[in-house]
Amino acid sequence: SLVALGGEYDGYDWRKGCTGRVDKKEVFTSSVEVLPPGEQKAFVDLPPLSCGSLAGTQAVAMEESNSAAGTVLLLGGGHKNGDVVSTVYLVDLATGVCTPQSSLLIARHWFAAARLPDGRIACAGGCHEMHRVMRSAEVMAVDGTWTKLPSMLAARAGCRGCVLSDGRFAVLGGRDNGEPKLASCEVIAVGDVDATWKPMPPMYEGRDWFACAAVAGCIIVAGGHEISSAELFDEGLNRWFRLPVALPTHYGLIHMGCVLL
């Protein structure tokens, strides 16, 4: 199933970057929708988030669940008034009930997050209060305790994260305030005694707020602001390849979720 939780629509001006400013057209929502597997081709409404409207969050599916509809960990994000939050909720999709968990060490939105093979949750980058784009990173242990990770090599918001086949956490692209979109990528082996971020080969094109997925020893990226192209990173060859396909608009798509079927 594909689940969409919260978010914002209508009137968002990406050119405001991470300033947290809003305009009258913006609508933040607490709605939850699911596209079930099988033949059904339409989203179905689920109970809304009890924690209220949030946007710029990261959602991680939890495998261990007593819920009839499953549970999702909802991390960080921001409110319509511009406040950035450090909250973490365990969301019961059957009821919409958001149970508070241990908060992030730093409030952040528009960041990268991924679940590691051992169940830990890694987060990196994003925007903080006072419009600051961050290099900081942290990891949540299976007992819910958050621990600081070394800072990334670059400050990134609108970046994407994924887990490589060897279990390392990779963070790709994004942008810093007032700077061009980043093509650079970096990776860390979370848990190693001397863990540090190491550069990966850069993408062909800088991109932010794009789609990203890891599968079968490869990373696939597509879209982003004002870009419709797609690329593939082969872990074995340690290089990127341009894909001979593009999203169906030359302006690109941004802020989208993605899933491999």
Side-chain angles (χ1 to χ4, degrees):
S1 300
L2 173 63
V3 181
L5 304 97
E8 60 181 297
Y9 58 92
D10 290 341
Y12 179 72
D13 185 353
W14 73 270
R15 290 166 296 183
K16 295 175 183 176
C18 298
T19 61
R21 291 177 294 176
V22 297
D23 58 44
K24 294 181 180 179
K25 295 182 180 179
E26 272 189 329
V27 178
F28 278 45
T29 180
S30 60
S31 65
V32 180
E33 303 174 59
V34 61
L35 181 64
E39 296 299 320
Q40 186 165 335
K41 302 301 182 183
F43 277 86
V44 176
D45 289 330
L46 294 178
L49 300 171
S50 67
C51 60
S53 303
L54 282 171
T57 62
Q58 282 289 336
V60 178
M62 304 301 290
E63 296 176 0
E64 308 81 11
S65 174
N66 295 320
S67 169
T71 55
V72 170
L73 204 64
L74 195 64
L75 306 122
H79 295 295
K80 183 175 173 61
N81 64 5
D83 289 343
V84 180
V85 299
S86 61
T87 52
V88 177
Y89 296 105
L90 186 65
V91 182
D92 184 338
L93 297 176
T95 63
V97 172
C98 301
T99 303
Q101 309 293 301
S102 298
S103 295
L104 295 161
L105 299 178
I106 299 176
R108 61 181 82 222
H109 68 162
W110 303 125
F111 57 102
R115 181 171 180 166
L116 304 177
D118 61 5
R120 292 178 296 170
I121 309 294
C123 301
C127 290
H128 186 51
E129 301 287 0
M130 303 301 294
H131 329 324
R132 180 165 57 92
V133 179
M134 300 184 293
R135 297 170 53 224
S136 67
E138 52 191 288
V139 61
M140 185 183 79
V142 292
D143 66 359
T145 303
W146 288 95
T147 304
K148 183 179 178 181
L149 291 174
S151 294
M152 292 191 294
L153 303 174
R156 306 172 185 271
C159 49
R160 292 293 181 258
C162 63
V163 178
L164 304 184
S165 58
D166 61 6
R168 291 181 297 163
F169 177 47
V171 179
L172 320 173
R175 69 160 63 215
D176 197 350
N177 275 342
E179 299 296 328
K181 296 185 290 288
L182 297 171
S184 64
C185 310
E186 50 191 291
V187 64
I188 188 171
V190 179
D192 283 6
V193 175
D194 57 348
T196 57
W197 291 91
K198 295 180 172 56
M200 293 173 58
M203 298 179 286
Y204 279 100
E205 301 184 77
R207 57 183 82 224
D208 54 357
W209 290 292
F210 53 98
C212 170
V215 59
C218 297
I219 303 171
I220 302 170
V221 299
H225 178 253
E226 293 184 333
I227 182 170
S228 60
S229 65
E231 306 178 37
L232 179 146
F233 178 75
D234 187 304
E235 292 184 38
L237 298 176
N238 195 39
R239 61 163 295 187
W240 288 92
F241 296 88
R242 294 184 185 272
L243 293 178
V245 294
L247 297 172
T249 167
H250 68 279
Y251 293 109
L253 295 172
I254 62 173
H255 301 159
M256 67 286 223
C258 62
V259 64
L260 286 171
L261 302 177

